[in-house]
Amino acid sequence: MRVVMFGYQTWGHRTLQALLDSEHDVVLVVTHPRSEHAYEKIWSDSVADLAEERGVPVLIRNRPDDDELFERLKEAAPDIIVANNWRTWIPPRIFNLPRHGTLNVHDSLLPKYAGFSPLIWALINGETEVGVTAHLMDDELDAGDIVRQEAVPVGPTDTATDLFHKTVDLIAPVTIGALGLITSGRTEFTKQDRSQASFFHKRSIEDSRIDWTWPAEDLERLVRAQSEPYPSAFTFHRGRRLEVLAARVSDGRYGGTPGRIFYREGDGVAIVAGADARTGRNHGLAVTRVRTEDGREMPAAEYFTSMGGYLTNR
């Protein structure tokens, strides 16, 4: 098939590479300009560079809503558009242009985790598996019929970085497998159960801020979800920003006020956590490694020279 590809960052790069390595003919690539947004500088393999290396025409757009782009698409005469990690709305006159429509590749198990940063949100929320879905685009965000979907388990110590590497390897088989089903003549695919749909916004630095009223189990997953190269989870100690790089749920139960620096436990320092911490029924978050405002990384037991005082949100 003749394919136009819309994509950005490493997700788009892997999709384009899979298409270029397949039997399909990539006739045009549309991608976003480089961004200085903290999350868009991560996993930033260039779609434009790959396309140019392989002699495929490239258009750079923030939004695909201009008449010039539409005319270029008509001239390219694609049988299908394939999109992955396209960051803005694609209008119906574009996604309905090819005879097979538009196949969107999304790194979640739709209908759950539509929208942005699905791996991070899924890890924070304690999901037991994540994956990649190829679906046909329609008027609603990430809501079209599912053509192919594959899942991988979330391990008990997996970070968001681990999940990225697990799922990015699914892009090629999911994308090419879905195109194979479409070229075989199939037209009926799996409807999404919209009662199970959930939608998530882009993450920002604010979303990495530790709220000590969360249960320790949730905070431990937040720390893993904000693994390098993502911006680390952070709190404040004595008015200075402190990044929490590693932590575990404490063995003991600690009562009092959320954020209290309470007790040395093994290689960590237990911080009181949970909105109902006053009951004394909660485990704390045993922080094991931190990074100070001036960039020094050290064991938490070395940083916290004495117990007492509080870690705060601001």
Side-chain angles (χ1 to χ4, degrees), residues 211-269:
D211 181 345
W212 293 104
T213 64
W214 284 20
E217 293 82 1
D218 293 355
L219 291 177
E220 186 271 339
R221 290 194 301 269
L222 173 65
V223 171
R224 284 192 281 129
Q226 297 299 147
S227 57
E228 293 286 351
Y230 297 103
S232 301
F234 70 96
T235 185
F236 287 87
H237 182 226
R238 296 174 177 167
R240 294 184 178 275
R241 181 183 171 116
L242 183 69
E243 295 180 13
V244 177
L245 305 181
R248 56 179 170 77
V249 177
S250 68
D251 296 324
R253 298 177 187 272
Y254 301 98
T257 301
R260 177 74 175 190
I261 304 162
F262 198 141
Y263 187 73
R264 295 186 186 277
E265 186 184 274
D267 62 345
V269 173

Short mmCIF file of all heavy atoms in Angstrom, two decimals, residues 211-269:
data_model
loop_
_atom_site.label_atom_id
_atom_site.label_comp_id
_atom_site.label_asym_id
_atom_site.label_seq_id
_atom_site.Cartn_x
_atom_site.Cartn_y
_atom_site.Cartn_z
N ASP A 211 2.83 14.35 46.76
CA ASP A 211 1.77 14.70 47.70
C ASP A 211 1.78 13.63 48.79
O ASP A 211 1.40 12.48 48.55
CB ASP A 211 0.43 14.72 46.97
CG ASP A 211 -0.73 15.10 47.87
OD1 ASP A 211 -0.57 15.08 49.11
OD2 ASP A 211 -1.82 15.40 47.34
N TRP A 212 2.23 14.00 49.97
CA TRP A 212 2.42 13.01 51.04
C TRP A 212 1.12 12.47 51.61
O TRP A 212 1.15 11.55 52.43
CB TRP A 212 3.31 13.60 52.14
CG TRP A 212 4.70 13.83 51.64
CD1 TRP A 212 5.27 15.02 51.29
CD2 TRP A 212 5.68 12.82 51.37
NE1 TRP A 212 6.56 14.83 50.82
CE2 TRP A 212 6.83 13.49 50.86
CE3 TRP A 212 5.72 11.44 51.50
CZ2 TRP A 212 7.99 12.80 50.49
CZ3 TRP A 212 6.85 10.74 51.14
CH2 TRP A 212 7.98 11.42 50.64
N THR A 213 -0.02 13.00 51.14
CA THR A 213 -1.29 12.40 51.56
C THR A 213 -1.64 11.18 50.71
O THR A 213 -2.60 10.47 51.01
CB THR A 213 -2.44 13.42 51.49
OG1 THR A 213 -2.65 13.82 50.13
CG2 THR A 213 -2.14 14.64 52.34
N TRP A 214 -0.87 10.94 49.63
CA TRP A 214 -1.07 9.70 48.86
C TRP A 214 -0.61 8.51 49.71
O TRP A 214 0.36 8.62 50.49
CB TRP A 214 -0.26 9.72 47.59
CG TRP A 214 -0.78 10.56 46.47
CD1 TRP A 214 -1.66 11.59 46.54
CD2 TRP A 214 -0.40 10.44 45.09
NE1 TRP A 214 -1.86 12.12 45.29
CE2 TRP A 214 -1.11 11.44 44.38
CE3 TRP A 214 0.45 9.59 44.39
CZ2 TRP A 214 -0.98 11.59 43.00
CZ3 TRP A 214 0.58 9.74 43.02
CH2 TRP A 214 -0.13 10.74 42.33
N PRO A 215 -1.20 7.33 49.52
CA PRO A 215 -0.67 6.13 50.18
C PRO A 215 0.75 5.83 49.71
O PRO A 215 1.13 6.14 48.57
CB PRO A 215 -1.64 5.03 49.71
CG PRO A 215 -2.87 5.75 49.28
CD PRO A 215 -2.43 7.08 48.75
N ALA A 216 1.54 5.22 50.59
CA ALA A 216 2.93 4.92 50.26
C ALA A 216 3.06 4.05 49.02
O ALA A 216 3.99 4.21 48.23
CB ALA A 216 3.60 4.22 51.44
N GLU A 217 2.12 3.13 48.81
CA GLU A 217 2.16 2.26 47.64
C GLU A 217 2.08 3.09 46.35
O GLU A 217 2.77 2.80 45.36
CB GLU A 217 1.03 1.24 47.67
CG GLU A 217 1.15 0.21 48.79
CD GLU A 217 0.64 0.72 50.13
OE1 GLU A 217 0.16 1.89 50.20
OE2 GLU A 217 0.71 -0.04 51.12
N ASP A 218 1.22 4.11 46.36
CA ASP A 218 1.08 4.98 45.18
C ASP A 218 2.33 5.84 44.99
O ASP A 218 2.78 6.07 43.86
CB ASP A 218 -0.15 5.88 45.33
CG ASP A 218 -1.45 5.10 45.29
OD1 ASP A 218 -1.41 3.87 45.07
OD2 ASP A 218 -2.51 5.71 45.49
N LEU A 219 2.89 6.33 46.09
CA LEU A 219 4.09 7.17 46.00
C LEU A 219 5.28 6.36 45.49
O LEU A 219 6.10 6.87 44.71
CB LEU A 219 4.41 7.77 47.36
CG LEU A 219 3.42 8.82 47.86
CD1 LEU A 219 3.81 9.30 49.26
CD2 LEU A 219 3.33 10.01 46.91
N GLU A 220 5.39 5.10 45.91
CA GLU A 220 6.49 4.26 45.42
C GLU A 220 6.39 4.08 43.91
O GLU A 220 7.39 4.13 43.19
CB GLU A 220 6.44 2.91 46.13
CG GLU A 220 7.61 1.98 45.83
CD GLU A 220 7.38 1.10 44.64
OE1 GLU A 220 6.20 0.89 44.25
OE2 GLU A 220 8.37 0.59 44.06
N ARG A 221 5.17 3.92 43.41
CA ARG A 221 4.99 3.79 41.96
C ARG A 221 5.25 5.12 41.25
O ARG A 221 5.78 5.14 40.13
CB ARG A 221 3.58 3.27 41.64
CG ARG A 221 3.38 1.82 42.05
CD ARG A 221 2.11 1.24 41.42
NE ARG A 221 0.92 1.97 41.79
CZ ARG A 221 0.16 1.68 42.83
NH1 ARG A 221 0.48 0.66 43.63
NH2 ARG A 221 -0.93 2.38 43.09
N LEU A 222 4.89 6.25 41.88
CA LEU A 222 5.18 7.55 41.30
C LEU A 222 6.68 7.73 41.12
O LEU A 222 7.14 8.21 40.07
CB LEU A 222 4.64 8.68 42.19
CG LEU A 222 5.03 10.10 41.77
CD1 LEU A 222 4.43 10.46 40.43
CD2 LEU A 222 4.63 11.12 42.84
N VAL A 223 7.45 7.34 42.10
CA VAL A 223 8.92 7.45 41.99
C VAL A 223 9.43 6.60 40.83
O VAL A 223 10.26 7.05 40.03
CB VAL A 223 9.59 7.04 43.32
CG1 VAL A 223 11.10 6.95 43.16
CG2 VAL A 223 9.23 8.05 44.42
N ARG A 224 8.91 5.38 40.69
CA ARG A 224 9.32 4.52 39.56
C ARG A 224 8.85 5.08 38.23
O ARG A 224 9.52 4.94 37.20
CB ARG A 224 8.79 3.10 39.76
CG ARG A 224 9.56 2.30 40.78
CD ARG A 224 9.19 0.83 40.72
NE ARG A 224 7.93 0.52 41.38
CZ ARG A 224 6.93 -0.16 40.83
NH1 ARG A 224 7.03 -0.59 39.58
NH2 ARG A 224 5.83 -0.42 41.52
N ALA A 225 7.69 5.72 38.24
CA ALA A 225 7.15 6.29 37.00
C ALA A 225 7.94 7.50 36.54
O ALA A 225 7.93 7.84 35.36
CB ALA A 225 5.68 6.67 37.19
N GLN A 226 8.63 8.15 37.47
CA GLN A 226 9.42 9.34 37.12
C GLN A 226 10.91 9.00 37.05
O GLN A 226 11.76 9.78 37.45
CB GLN A 226 9.14 10.45 38.12
CG GLN A 226 7.70 10.95 38.14
CD GLN A 226 7.24 11.53 36.81
OE1 GLN A 226 6.08 11.42 36.43
NE2 GLN A 226 8.14 12.15 36.07
N SER A 227 11.20 7.82 36.51
CA SER A 227 12.58 7.35 36.40
C SER A 227 13.33 8.13 35.32
O SER A 227 12.73 8.71 34.41
CB SER A 227 12.57 5.86 36.04
OG SER A 227 11.83 5.65 34.84
N GLU A 228 14.67 8.13 35.43
CA GLU A 228 15.47 8.73 34.37
C GLU A 228 15.12 8.07 33.03
O GLU A 228 14.94 6.86 32.98
CB GLU A 228 16.97 8.51 34.67
CG GLU A 228 17.48 9.26 35.88
CD GLU A 228 17.64 10.76 35.65
OE1 GLU A 228 17.52 11.20 34.48
OE2 GLU A 228 17.88 11.47 36.62
N PRO A 229 14.98 8.85 31.96
CA PRO A 229 15.30 10.27 31.80
C PRO A 229 14.14 11.22 32.08
O PRO A 229 14.23 12.40 31.75
CB PRO A 229 15.70 10.35 30.32
CG PRO A 229 14.80 9.36 29.67
CD PRO A 229 14.67 8.21 30.66
N TYR A 230 13.04 10.74 32.66
CA TYR A 230 11.92 11.63 33.00
C TYR A 230 12.30 12.51 34.19
O TYR A 230 13.16 12.15 34.99
CB TYR A 230 10.68 10.81 33.35
CG TYR A 230 10.16 9.98 32.21
CD1 TYR A 230 10.40 8.60 32.16
CD2 TYR A 230 9.46 10.55 31.16
CE1 TYR A 230 9.94 7.83 31.11
CE2 TYR A 230 8.99 9.79 30.10
CZ TYR A 230 9.24 8.43 30.08
OH TYR A 230 8.79 7.67 29.02
N PRO A 231 11.67 13.69 34.32
CA PRO A 231 11.91 14.52 35.50
C PRO A 231 11.54 13.76 36.77
O PRO A 231 10.47 13.17 36.85
CB PRO A 231 10.98 15.72 35.27
CG PRO A 231 10.74 15.75 33.79
CD PRO A 231 10.74 14.32 33.35
N SER A 232 12.42 13.77 37.74
CA SER A 232 12.23 12.95 38.95
C SER A 232 11.09 13.48 39.82
O SER A 232 10.76 14.67 39.81
CB SER A 232 13.52 12.95 39.79
OG SER A 232 14.59 12.43 39.04
N ALA A 233 10.51 12.56 40.60
CA ALA A 233 9.55 12.97 41.62
C ALA A 233 10.28 13.85 42.63
O ALA A 233 11.46 13.63 42.94
CB ALA A 233 8.98 11.74 42.31
N PHE A 234 9.59 14.87 43.16
CA PHE A 234 10.28 15.80 44.05
C PHE A 234 9.38 16.28 45.18
O PHE A 234 8.15 16.21 45.10
CB PHE A 234 10.84 16.99 43.27
CG PHE A 234 9.78 17.94 42.74
CD1 PHE A 234 9.42 19.09 43.43
CD2 PHE A 234 9.15 17.69 41.53
CE1 PHE A 234 8.45 19.96 42.95
CE2 PHE A 234 8.18 18.55 41.02
CZ PHE A 234 7.83 19.69 41.74
N THR A 235 10.05 16.75 46.22
CA THR A 235 9.40 17.31 47.38
C THR A 235 10.25 18.49 47.84
O THR A 235 11.18 18.90 47.14
CB THR A 235 9.26 16.23 48.47
OG1 THR A 235 8.51 16.73 49.57
CG2 THR A 235 10.62 15.74 48.96
N PHE A 236 9.94 19.05 49.01
CA PHE A 236 10.77 20.14 49.55
C PHE A 236 11.16 19.82 51.00
O PHE A 236 10.34 19.31 51.77
CB PHE A 236 10.02 21.48 49.49
CG PHE A 236 9.91 22.03 48.10
CD1 PHE A 236 8.86 21.66 47.28
CD2 PHE A 236 10.87 22.88 47.59
CE1 PHE A 236 8.76 22.15 45.99
CE2 PHE A 236 10.79 23.37 46.30
CZ PHE A 236 9.73 23.00 45.50
N HIS A 237 12.41 20.11 51.32
CA HIS A 237 12.91 19.93 52.68
C HIS A 237 13.59 21.21 53.11
O HIS A 237 14.53 21.68 52.45
CB HIS A 237 13.91 18.76 52.72
CG HIS A 237 14.43 18.47 54.09
ND1 HIS A 237 15.76 18.26 54.36
CD2 HIS A 237 13.78 18.36 55.29
CE1 HIS A 237 15.91 18.03 55.65
NE2 HIS A 237 14.73 18.08 56.23
N ARG A 238 13.09 21.79 54.17
CA ARG A 238 13.62 23.06 54.67
C ARG A 238 13.66 24.12 53.57
O ARG A 238 14.60 24.89 53.45
CB ARG A 238 15.02 22.86 55.27
CG ARG A 238 15.02 21.94 56.49
CD ARG A 238 16.42 21.64 56.98
NE ARG A 238 16.39 20.82 58.18
CZ ARG A 238 17.46 20.20 58.69
NH1 ARG A 238 18.62 20.32 58.08
NH2 ARG A 238 17.34 19.48 59.79
N GLY A 239 12.60 24.11 52.76
CA GLY A 239 12.46 25.13 51.72
C GLY A 239 13.21 24.88 50.44
O GLY A 239 13.10 25.65 49.49
N ARG A 240 13.97 23.78 50.37
CA ARG A 240 14.74 23.48 49.17
C ARG A 240 14.20 22.23 48.48
O ARG A 240 13.81 21.27 49.14
CB ARG A 240 16.23 23.29 49.52
CG ARG A 240 16.90 24.56 50.03
CD ARG A 240 18.38 24.33 50.27
NE ARG A 240 19.04 25.54 50.71
CZ ARG A 240 19.52 26.47 49.89
NH1 ARG A 240 19.41 26.32 48.58
NH2 ARG A 240 20.10 27.56 50.37
N ARG A 241 14.23 22.28 47.16
CA ARG A 241 13.74 21.15 46.37
C ARG A 241 14.62 19.92 46.58
O ARG A 241 15.85 20.02 46.60
CB ARG A 241 13.73 21.55 44.90
CG ARG A 241 13.22 20.47 43.95
CD ARG A 241 13.35 20.98 42.52
NE ARG A 241 13.08 19.94 41.55
CZ ARG A 241 12.08 19.95 40.69
NH1 ARG A 241 11.23 20.96 40.69
NH2 ARG A 241 11.92 18.98 39.82
N LEU A 242 13.98 18.77 46.76
CA LEU A 242 14.69 17.51 46.96
C LEU A 242 14.04 16.47 46.06
O LEU A 242 12.85 16.19 46.17
CB LEU A 242 14.60 17.08 48.42
CG LEU A 242 15.35 15.80 48.79
CD1 LEU A 242 16.87 16.02 48.71
CD2 LEU A 242 14.96 15.32 50.19
N GLU A 243 14.83 15.89 45.16
CA GLU A 243 14.32 14.86 44.27
C GLU A 243 14.44 13.49 44.93
O GLU A 243 15.47 13.18 45.54
CB GLU A 243 15.09 14.86 42.95
CG GLU A 243 14.90 16.15 42.15
CD GLU A 243 15.68 16.13 40.85
OE1 GLU A 243 16.15 15.05 40.44
OE2 GLU A 243 15.81 17.21 40.24
N VAL A 244 13.39 12.70 44.81
CA VAL A 244 13.39 11.34 45.34
C VAL A 244 13.63 10.40 44.16
O VAL A 244 12.78 10.25 43.28
CB VAL A 244 12.06 11.01 46.04
CG1 VAL A 244 12.05 9.57 46.53
CG2 VAL A 244 11.84 11.98 47.22
N LEU A 245 14.80 9.76 44.15
CA LEU A 245 15.21 8.93 43.02
C LEU A 245 14.85 7.46 43.20
O LEU A 245 14.67 6.74 42.22
CB LEU A 245 16.72 9.06 42.80
CG LEU A 245 17.26 10.49 42.61
CD1 LEU A 245 18.76 10.44 42.39
CD2 LEU A 245 16.56 11.18 41.45
N ALA A 246 14.78 7.01 44.45
CA ALA A 246 14.45 5.61 44.71
C ALA A 246 13.77 5.52 46.07
O ALA A 246 14.12 6.27 47.00
CB ALA A 246 15.71 4.73 44.68
N ALA A 247 12.82 4.61 46.17
CA ALA A 247 12.08 4.46 47.43
C ALA A 247 11.38 3.10 47.41
O ALA A 247 11.25 2.46 46.36
CB ALA A 247 11.05 5.58 47.59
N ARG A 248 10.93 2.68 48.57
CA ARG A 248 10.14 1.46 48.69
C ARG A 248 9.10 1.68 49.77
O ARG A 248 9.20 2.65 50.56
CB ARG A 248 11.04 0.28 49.04
CG ARG A 248 11.87 0.48 50.30
CD ARG A 248 12.74 -0.72 50.64
NE ARG A 248 13.68 -0.40 51.71
CZ ARG A 248 13.37 -0.32 52.99
NH1 ARG A 248 12.12 -0.55 53.38
NH2 ARG A 248 14.28 -0.02 53.89
N VAL A 249 8.11 0.83 49.80
CA VAL A 249 7.12 0.88 50.87
C VAL A 249 7.77 0.36 52.14
O VAL A 249 8.46 -0.66 52.12
CB VAL A 249 5.89 0.04 50.50
CG1 VAL A 249 4.88 0.04 51.65
CG2 VAL A 249 5.24 0.58 49.24
N SER A 250 7.61 1.07 53.24
CA SER A 250 8.27 0.70 54.49
C SER A 250 7.75 -0.63 55.02
O SER A 250 6.62 -1.04 54.73
CB SER A 250 8.06 1.78 55.55
OG SER A 250 6.69 1.82 55.95
N ASP A 251 8.59 -1.28 55.80
CA ASP A 251 8.16 -2.50 56.48
C ASP A 251 7.20 -2.16 57.63
O ASP A 251 6.19 -2.84 57.83
CB ASP A 251 9.37 -3.26 57.03
CG ASP A 251 10.30 -3.73 55.93
OD1 ASP A 251 9.79 -4.11 54.85
OD2 ASP A 251 11.53 -3.72 56.13
N GLY A 252 7.56 -1.13 58.37
CA GLY A 252 6.75 -0.74 59.52
C GLY A 252 5.59 0.16 59.14
O GLY A 252 5.51 0.69 58.04
N ARG A 253 4.68 0.33 60.11
CA ARG A 253 3.55 1.25 59.96
C ARG A 253 3.84 2.47 60.83
O ARG A 253 4.22 2.33 62.00
CB ARG A 253 2.24 0.58 60.37
CG ARG A 253 1.89 -0.62 59.50
CD ARG A 253 0.62 -1.32 59.99
NE ARG A 253 0.39 -2.56 59.26
CZ ARG A 253 -0.29 -2.66 58.11
NH1 ARG A 253 -0.79 -1.56 57.58
NH2 ARG A 253 -0.45 -3.82 57.52
N TYR A 254 3.61 3.64 60.26
CA TYR A 254 3.99 4.87 60.94
C TYR A 254 2.81 5.83 60.97
O TYR A 254 2.20 6.12 59.94
CB TYR A 254 5.18 5.52 60.24
CG TYR A 254 6.39 4.61 60.20
CD1 TYR A 254 6.68 3.86 59.07
CD2 TYR A 254 7.22 4.48 61.31
CE1 TYR A 254 7.77 3.00 59.04
CE2 TYR A 254 8.31 3.62 61.28
CZ TYR A 254 8.58 2.89 60.14
OH TYR A 254 9.66 2.04 60.13
N GLY A 255 2.48 6.31 62.18
CA GLY A 255 1.36 7.22 62.34
C GLY A 255 1.80 8.65 62.59
O GLY A 255 2.91 8.90 63.05
N GLY A 256 0.92 9.57 62.26
CA GLY A 256 1.22 10.98 62.50
C GLY A 256 0.75 11.84 61.35
O GLY A 256 -0.31 11.62 60.76
N THR A 257 1.56 12.82 61.00
CA THR A 257 1.23 13.78 59.95
C THR A 257 1.96 13.44 58.66
O THR A 257 3.18 13.21 58.70
CB THR A 257 1.60 15.20 60.40
OG1 THR A 257 0.88 15.51 61.60
CG2 THR A 257 1.24 16.23 59.34
N PRO A 258 1.25 13.39 57.51
CA PRO A 258 1.92 13.08 56.24
C PRO A 258 3.11 14.01 55.98
O PRO A 258 3.02 15.23 56.18
CB PRO A 258 0.82 13.30 55.20
CG PRO A 258 -0.46 13.07 55.95
CD PRO A 258 -0.20 13.58 57.33
N GLY A 259 4.22 13.41 55.56
CA GLY A 259 5.43 14.18 55.27
C GLY A 259 6.43 14.21 56.41
O GLY A 259 7.56 14.68 56.23
N ARG A 260 6.09 13.69 57.58
CA ARG A 260 7.00 13.69 58.71
C ARG A 260 8.18 12.75 58.44
O ARG A 260 8.01 11.60 58.04
CB ARG A 260 6.28 13.21 59.97
CG ARG A 260 7.15 13.11 61.22
CD ARG A 260 7.49 14.46 61.80
NE ARG A 260 8.23 14.32 63.05
CZ ARG A 260 8.50 15.34 63.87
NH1 ARG A 260 8.08 16.55 63.56
NH2 ARG A 260 9.16 15.15 64.99
N ILE A 261 9.40 13.26 58.67
CA ILE A 261 10.62 12.45 58.55
C ILE A 261 10.75 11.70 59.87
O ILE A 261 11.03 12.28 60.91
CB ILE A 261 11.84 13.35 58.30
CG1 ILE A 261 11.61 14.21 57.06
CG2 ILE A 261 13.11 12.52 58.14
CD1 ILE A 261 12.53 15.42 56.97
N PHE A 262 10.52 10.35 59.82
CA PHE A 262 10.20 9.65 61.05
C PHE A 262 11.32 8.75 61.55
O PHE A 262 11.74 8.85 62.71
CB PHE A 262 8.93 8.82 60.81
CG PHE A 262 8.23 8.37 62.06
CD1 PHE A 262 6.84 8.37 62.12
CD2 PHE A 262 8.92 7.94 63.18
CE1 PHE A 262 6.17 7.95 63.25
CE2 PHE A 262 8.27 7.52 64.32
CZ PHE A 262 6.89 7.52 64.35
N TYR A 263 11.81 7.82 60.70
CA TYR A 263 12.55 6.69 61.26
C TYR A 263 13.51 6.10 60.22
O TYR A 263 13.15 5.98 59.05
CB TYR A 263 11.53 5.62 61.69
CG TYR A 263 12.08 4.44 62.43
CD1 TYR A 263 12.50 4.54 63.75
CD2 TYR A 263 12.15 3.18 61.82
CE1 TYR A 263 12.99 3.44 64.44
CE2 TYR A 263 12.64 2.07 62.49
CZ TYR A 263 13.06 2.22 63.82
OH TYR A 263 13.54 1.12 64.50
N ARG A 264 14.72 5.75 60.68
CA ARG A 264 15.65 5.03 59.81
C ARG A 264 15.23 3.56 59.75
O ARG A 264 15.12 2.91 60.78
CB ARG A 264 17.08 5.13 60.32
CG ARG A 264 17.64 6.54 60.30
CD ARG A 264 19.11 6.56 60.70
NE ARG A 264 19.60 7.92 60.82
CZ ARG A 264 20.02 8.65 59.79
NH1 ARG A 264 20.01 8.14 58.57
NH2 ARG A 264 20.44 9.89 59.97
N GLU A 265 15.02 3.08 58.53
CA GLU A 265 14.59 1.69 58.36
C GLU A 265 15.46 1.05 57.29
O GLU A 265 15.35 1.34 56.11
CB GLU A 265 13.11 1.65 57.95
CG GLU A 265 12.56 0.24 57.91
CD GLU A 265 11.13 0.19 57.42
OE1 GLU A 265 10.21 0.36 58.23
OE2 GLU A 265 10.94 -0.03 56.20
N GLY A 266 16.39 0.19 57.72
CA GLY A 266 17.31 -0.42 56.78
C GLY A 266 18.14 0.63 56.07
O GLY A 266 18.74 1.51 56.72
N ASP A 267 18.14 0.59 54.73
CA ASP A 267 18.92 1.57 53.97
C ASP A 267 18.11 2.80 53.63
O ASP A 267 18.54 3.65 52.84
CB ASP A 267 19.43 0.93 52.67
CG ASP A 267 18.31 0.48 51.75
OD1 ASP A 267 17.15 0.39 52.22
OD2 ASP A 267 18.59 0.21 50.56
N GLY A 268 16.91 2.93 54.21
CA GLY A 268 16.05 4.06 53.88
C GLY A 268 15.64 4.86 55.09
O GLY A 268 15.95 4.52 56.24
N VAL A 269 14.93 5.94 54.82
CA VAL A 269 14.36 6.79 55.87
C VAL A 269 12.85 6.83 55.63
O VAL A 269 12.39 7.23 54.55
CB VAL A 269 14.96 8.20 55.82
CG1 VAL A 269 14.23 9.12 56.80
CG2 VAL A 269 16.45 8.15 56.13
#
